[in-house]
Amino acid sequence: MKNHKRAWATVNLSKLEKNINTIKQQISPSTGIMAVVKADAYGHGEKEVLRKLESIGIKYFAVSNLDEAISVRNICPDGDILILGYTPPEYADELIQHNIIQCIVSEEYASELNKNAVSPVRCHIKLDTGMGRIGLKYSKVSDCCDSVERIAALPTLSVEGLFTHFSVADSDDAENIEYTKKQADFIKSVYHTLEKRGTKLLHMHFLNSAGTGYHYDSESTLARIGITMYGLYPNYALPLPCAVEPVMEFKAVISNVKTAVKGDFISYGRTYEATEPVKIATATVGYADGYSRLLSSKGQVLIKGKRCRIVGRICMDQMMIDVTDVDVKAGDIVTLIGKDGDDVITADELASWYGTIGYEVVCGISKRVPRIYI
């Protein structure tokens, strides 16, 4: 407990491994796992997560930017690391030096990267099949293939693959299911047409976590597993075909317990007024730790296996909880995310209380919250 000074997160690496193995059982051996470890492994802690992933045989990793890629390279010297976004072309030498695979976001970008590179830069070309962010956008397969071939012909680019990103794979709406199918069909048509023309690429991948869970297709050579690897759902309301377990728990302690009488106000703004005597506990966690202020008077926590509601506005470093029905004292543990007794609060459930997604919750747990690895 000496590390548990005020607020902390535990990261269960055994559950991470179990989730990976569960996902592997749902897909073909022809599809490799590309672990998405951007944003400090979705807030779980890059170093320990990468070491665990590497120890169980994961060799493909995806990140957001060059700094993240270099950090992963320092931990995983033999991994294949793909940057999913833009890197300024003038950093071509660093891409080469660290053996990083760069996403090609457009034909113009490919030309600039080629001009700045002194030797081949490994690349995967991004196709915009309906996400509307980055990538080659064409309505005709033949035109898209022409563009890919022009990029592949550039002397200092080594094009190894194509990829795209699903935008509504986490929906069971009929129109969205058809939209996802069209996205997959387009990239597969481009890949196979290129092969017929004589351009054979090592990789074609279009499965994100939602795609892997709800729309698996063995033609995708890689499954880019992000949120499900960490035990959360792409869509909280839509069950996955395989059960994954949350890897992270988030906890704090009670620092003070007092009784508020009728007419007393709690926290900033006087948004909560006691209408009868109520026992109030102060917990040592707030929005600077990543527990959103939007959960003020909405969120719930677990104390001694019982649900207790947050009252008043969440402060930067503290928040107040109605513990009238629980026997508590200073030093008792408050579970913000995780299991206590027979009950559990997941990041997905917490996210649903204020209209966001579990991704944002775990990524938002701040750096000042120590991670303790199990």
Side-chain angles (χ1 to χ4, degrees):
M1 291 295 295
K2 66 180 180 180
N3 292 320
H4 303 178
K5 295 178 180 178
R6 53 177 301 276
W8 66 95
T10 58
V11 178
N12 191 318
L13 298 173
S14 295
K15 288 185 178 180
L16 177 71
E17 179 177 358
K18 183 178 179 182
N19 290 341
I20 290 287
N21 290 335
T22 298
I23 294 164
K24 281 183 176 180
Q25 291 171 9
Q26 305 297 312
I27 65 178
S28 167
S30 64
T31 303
I33 297 287
M34 174 175 274
V36 184
V37 292
K38 60 183 178 177
D40 196 31
Y42 287 40
H44 289 69
E46 173 189 84
K47 182 184 292 185
E48 297 295 337
V49 166
L50 283 167
R51 285 175 175 168
K52 173 53 107 176
L53 292 172
E54 193 174 44
S55 76
I56 61 174
I58 301 299
K59 61 174 291 190
Y60 297 104
F61 304 99
V63 297
S64 169
N65 56 62
L66 181 57
D67 286 341
E68 288 182 345
I70 293 172
S71 181
V72 173
R73 172 61 69 222
N74 289 334
I75 300 166
C76 302
D78 300 320
D80 284 325
I81 304 164
L82 170 64
I83 295 176
L84 296 169
Y86 174 82
T87 299
E90 56 266 30
Y91 288 94
D93 287 348
E94 289 197 46
L95 292 169
I96 297 163
Q97 177 187 346
H98 296 284
N99 191 26
I100 305 299
I101 305 169
Q102 174 59 41
C103 162
I104 298 298
V105 302
S106 68
E107 198 168 337
E108 294 75 19
Y109 174 74
S111 178
E112 290 302 310
L113 190 61
N114 175 68
K115 290 177 184 177
N116 281 271
V118 295
S119 60
V121 178
R122 299 174 68 191
C123 300
H124 284 200
I125 298 173
K126 178 72 177 289
L127 304 187
D128 178 6
T129 59
M131 184 69 176
R133 291 193 305 197
I134 57 175
L136 309 184
K137 184 172 178 59
Y138 291 95
S139 58
K140 293 183 179 180
V141 168
S142 59
D143 291 342
C144 190
C145 289
D146 291 343
S147 181
V148 171
E149 287 177 333
R150 288 191 293 269
I151 293 170
L154 294 171
T156 57
L157 298 188
S158 176
V159 177
E160 300 179 4
L162 299 175
F163 73 109
T164 195
H165 194 69
F166 290 153
S167 60
V168 286
D170 60 350
S171 171
D172 59 357
D173 174 80
E175 287 188 9
N176 287 336
I177 290 172
E178 181 60 26
Y179 192 88
T180 300
K181 183 179 183 300
K182 287 180 179 178
Q183 285 192 268
D185 287 346
F186 189 88
I187 190 172
K188 288 192 290 184
S189 295
V190 171
Y191 181 78
H192 292 307
T193 301
L194 286 168
E195 188 173 16
K196 290 176 182 177
R197 290 185 181 187
T199 300
K200 173 64 175 175
L201 299 176
L202 179 64
H203 286 294
M204 168 188 61
H205 49 107
F206 47 84
L207 297 175
N208 52 8
S209 286
T212 304
Y214 308 123
H215 306 274
Y216 177 66
D217 187 325
S218 61
E219 286 198 71
S220 185
T221 62
L222 297 169
R224 301 189 306 270
I225 303 300
I227 200 66
T228 52
M229 179 173 75
Y230 305 105
L232 303 180
Y233 283 28
N235 180 348
Y236 178 54
L238 188 61
L240 284 166
C242 59
V244 293
E245 298 182 55
V247 172
M248 179 189 286
E249 293 191 338
F250 185 18
K251 302 190 177 187
V253 296
I254 290 172
S255 63
N256 187 71
V257 181
K258 64 178 63 175
T259 298
V261 300
K262 182 179 179 179
D264 281 352
F265 294 96
I266 304 297
S267 197
Y268 291 111
R270 302 197 327 182
T271 59
Y272 174 83
E273 180 181 2
T275 58
E276 59 185 357
V278 59
K279 188 164 59 173
I280 300 294
T282 300
T284 55
V285 66
Y287 60 77
D289 301 292
Y291 197 87
S292 176
R293 190 171 180 268
L294 294 172
L295 289 162
S296 299
S297 296
K298 292 182 181 179
Q300 300 174 10
V301 299
L302 297 174
I303 304 174
K304 296 189 174 180
K306 295 183 179 180
R307 290 205 172 211
C308 303
R309 65 190 182 97
I310 296 166
V311 294
R313 287 182 179 162
I314 293 169
C315 309
M316 183 180 288
D317 314 302
Q318 302 175 82
M319 66 184 185
M320 280 60 75
I321 306 159
D322 181 346
V323 293
T324 302
D325 298 325
V326 188
D327 181 20
V328 299
K329 63 183 184 305
D332 284 344
I333 292 177
V334 178
T335 298
L336 311 166
I337 300 172
K339 186 174 183 180
D340 183 0
D342 295 327
D343 205 350
V344 62
I345 294 174
T346 66
D348 287 325
E349 182 184 8
L350 188 151
S352 71
W353 294 335
Y354 67 108
T356 187
I357 54 178
Y359 300 67
E360 183 177 353
V361 171
V362 291
C363 288
I365 297 175
S366 73
K367 292 288 189 182
R368 82 175 186 181
V369 176
R371 272 58 167 177
I372 298 167
Y373 294 92
I374 303 172

